[in-house]
Amino acid sequence: MRTVLLTGFEPFDQDTINPSWEAVRRLDGTDLCDGVRIIARQLPCAFVTSGTRLNELLAEHSPKMVIATGLASGRSELSIERVAINLNDARIPDNLAYQPIDTAVEAGGPAAYFSTLPIKAMVKALREAGIPAAVSQTAGTFVCNKVFYSLQHALAGSGVRSGFIHVPYLPEQVARSAPGQPSLALETLVEGLRIATLSAWNTQADIAESGGQVS
Ligand code: PCA
């Protein structure tokens, strides 16, 4: 049995739930396809301990593919992230009250890593299933970007593909504390992450499909 590792984050910034964890935990222990099992684990929303936990999970499960997920407030689609940058610049403190400003994720590391997942194929598969999705050119500069960078750094050259997906709020979060913000239902997130993961697993070389930004 081969393993695909999915991670989601604990709540942060005074929230009581994090849709990334709510979604991936529902896929924990399920079969992605024949001979491939999904393992879903939670990461702390903290710069230092998220990296430690991620490394423990990689060592413990020896996954054949890894997709980390997190919440991006204000987004209306599943955001398939393209690039992780070697920069921490926290607008708010993390869950351990640490607020790095303009520090490196990995001192001496490359400026950035690209996702090694077939991001365009994943977007296409999601849209064909009626789930809103887009390639995103930035995972921000908070803990999600840090985990994305650390993940790509840890697996660089290993042949194990990995990347990051940001998800929108859940409707209940919007109703409670984020009026007017976009959201997606939990079932849509769960199904979307399953489809995106399956598409990544089944697609070795990404498709060429337009979708860049002119800004
Ligand atoms: N979103 C934050 C950190 C944890 C999460 O779910 C981010 O985008 O950095």
Side-chain angles (χ1 to χ4, degrees):
M1 191 58 102
R2 287 165 296 173
T3 296
V4 169
L5 174 65
L6 301 183
T7 68
F9 277 102
E10 66 183 7
F12 67 105
D13 197 17
Q14 291 159 31
D15 240 323
T16 52
I17 53 171
N18 189 317
S20 65
W21 172 240
E22 293 308 316
V24 297
R25 74 186 179 89
R26 284 167 171 80
L27 294 169
D28 182 40
T30 63
D31 286 352
L32 179 64
C33 54
D34 222 23
V36 184
R37 175 79 34 93
I38 293 178
I39 293 204
R41 294 290 181 267
Q42 191 185 65
L43 295 178
C45 186
F47 281 92
V48 175
T49 50
S50 59
T52 318
R53 183 76 187 117
L54 179 66
N55 286 335
E56 285 169 4
L57 291 172
L58 295 178
E60 184 184 343
H61 298 290
S62 300
K64 294 287 175 278
M65 190 174 85
V66 185
I67 304 181
T69 72
L71 164 68
S73 58
R75 296 202 194 169
S76 54
E77 304 153 316
L78 264 69
S79 293
I80 316 301
E81 298 293 349
R82 188 196 291 269
V83 58
I85 59 174
N86 194 4
L87 176 76
N88 301 315
D89 189 6
R91 183 175 53 77
I92 54 171
D94 71 13
N95 285 0
L96 294 176
Y98 178 50
Q99 188 173 9
I101 296 174
D102 296 351
T103 65
V105 175
E106 195 68 45
Y113 283 104
F114 286 118
S115 172
T116 46
L117 302 179
I119 56 174
K120 298 259 176 97
M122 293 161 76
V123 168
K124 185 162 186 267
L126 286 164
R127 289 181 179 169
E128 282 173 1
I131 295 172
V135 168
S136 162
Q137 320 296 351
T138 174
T141 57
F142 194 50
V143 181
C144 286
N145 174 74
K146 180 254 151 25
V147 160
F148 185 16
Y149 187 96
S150 295
L151 176 63
Q152 302 310 103
H153 189 70
L155 295 177
S158 70
V160 176
R161 295 180 301 149
S162 55
F164 197 98
I165 300 177
H166 263 121
V167 302
Y169 276 132
L170 292 170
E172 66 210 74
Q173 293 179 286
V174 170
R176 196 169 46 230
S177 57
Q181 294 288 324
S183 65
L184 284 178
L186 181 59
E187 311 82 74
T188 309
L189 295 185
V190 175
E191 183 60 0
L193 291 175
R194 190 189 67 75
I195 289 169
T197 306
L198 185 61
S199 155
W201 181 263
N202 286 332
T203 312
Q204 288 309 312
D206 202 3
I207 56 172
E209 183 142 296
S210 73
Q213 282 169 235
V214 179
S215 51

